[in-house]
């Protein structure tokens, strides 16, 4: 029996939260693309399950107990809209990239996060083939103490100046690449 559009959509976020490669193969199309991967390690831009597994490794490296409770879901044909919350605790560096290079690394704050997001998924052959998102990144940055500028802002500067940010970016990109390799 084929997986429903709703199950494929929920499955995508279970993969991000858990790194389940078997589920990734079941719900992610081999031609999958992620429009949001521009701020992630380069491996997150790989097509298919590999890119999703890399994105999940990136997020889990920053947020322990990562989960995505769904608050609303609708679909029409091969398009799914899913509203959810990204929740967890910021226990690892949250590294942002641009073109695969370190842009910014936010050192662990221990803060609980709860960021509302809306994702638009396109399906092909019953699997997710394209992902786009609208996220409340400003609220997330506020929960991490970035806006308004507070002690975390100085900690970010210190991390960059000391080389911690570059080392974290390298380690996380390597972990994402290893996660992506499990799908090959």
């Amino acid at each position: 029996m084929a997986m429903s559009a709703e199950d494929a959509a929920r499955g995508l976020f279970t993969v991000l939260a858990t790194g389940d490669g078997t589920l990734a193969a079941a719900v992610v199309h081999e031609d999958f693309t992620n429009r949001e991967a521009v701020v992630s390690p380069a491996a997150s831009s790989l097509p298919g399950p590999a890119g999703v597994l890399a994105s999940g490794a990136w997020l889990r490296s920053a947020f322990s107990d990562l989960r995505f409770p769904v608050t609303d879901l609708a679909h029409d044909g091969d398009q799914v809209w899913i509203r959810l919350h990204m929740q967890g605790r910021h226990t690892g560096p949250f590294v942002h990239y641009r073109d695969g290079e370190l842009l910014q690394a936010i050192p662990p704050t221990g803060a609980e996060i709860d960021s509302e997001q809306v994702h638009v998924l396109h399906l092909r052959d019953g699997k997710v083939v394209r992902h786009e998102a609208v996220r409340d990144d400003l609220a997330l940055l506020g929960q991490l103490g970035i806006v308004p500028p507070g002690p975390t802002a100085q900690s970010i500067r210190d991390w960059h100046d000391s080389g911690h940010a570059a080392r974290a970016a390298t380690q996380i990109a390597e972990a994402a690449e290893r996660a992506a390799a499990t799908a090959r």
Side-chain angles (χ1 to χ4, degrees):
M1 177 198 285
M3 187 175 299
S4 72
E6 292 92 345
D7 287 342
R10 289 176 190 275
L12 177 69
F13 293 95
T14 299
V15 170
L16 291 171
T18 65
D20 183 335
T22 302
L23 182 58
V27 301
V28 179
H29 196 278
E30 65 184 20
D31 295 331
F32 175 84
T33 59
N34 178 8
R35 188 178 142 222
E36 311 309 317
V38 297
V39 298
S40 310
S44 297
S45 294
L46 292 170
V52 175
L53 290 167
S55 292
W58 168 63
L59 289 170
R60 290 189 313 278
S61 72
F63 302 105
S64 58
D65 193 27
L66 184 65
R67 58 202 178 279
F68 296 93
V70 174
T71 54
D72 201 9
L73 189 146
H75 79 92
D76 183 17
D78 288 339
Q79 193 167 33
V80 178
W81 300 269
I82 186 167
R83 193 171 122 229
L84 51 76
H85 288 253
M86 183 175 88
Q87 299 174 335
R89 180 177 294 279
H90 182 217
T91 55
F94 188 28
V95 180
H96 289 92
Y97 300 81
R98 180 177 293 145
D99 299 323
E101 299 295 322
L102 169 66
L103 179 63
Q104 180 183 57
I106 302 169
T109 63
E112 288 287 334
I113 58 115
D114 186 346
S115 174
E116 188 169 21
Q117 307 175 348
V118 176
H119 298 265
V120 181
L121 308 175
H122 300 271
L123 305 178
R124 184 187 310 152
D125 305 326
K127 295 183 177 185
V128 181
V129 71
R130 186 167 156 220
H131 168 261
E132 302 175 61
V134 178
R135 303 178 311 253
D136 190 354
D137 289 346
L138 189 58
L140 176 62
L141 292 173
Q143 292 167 13
L144 297 177
I146 305 302
V147 289
T152 303
Q154 181 60 48
S155 183
I156 290 170
R157 286 190 292 276
D158 293 345
W159 258 51
H160 281 269
D161 292 345
S162 70
H164 279 92
R167 286 190 296 279
T170 298
Q171 290 171 347
I172 292 165
E174 289 170 355
E177 184 63 40
R178 285 191 304 275
T182 66
R184 296 181 187 141

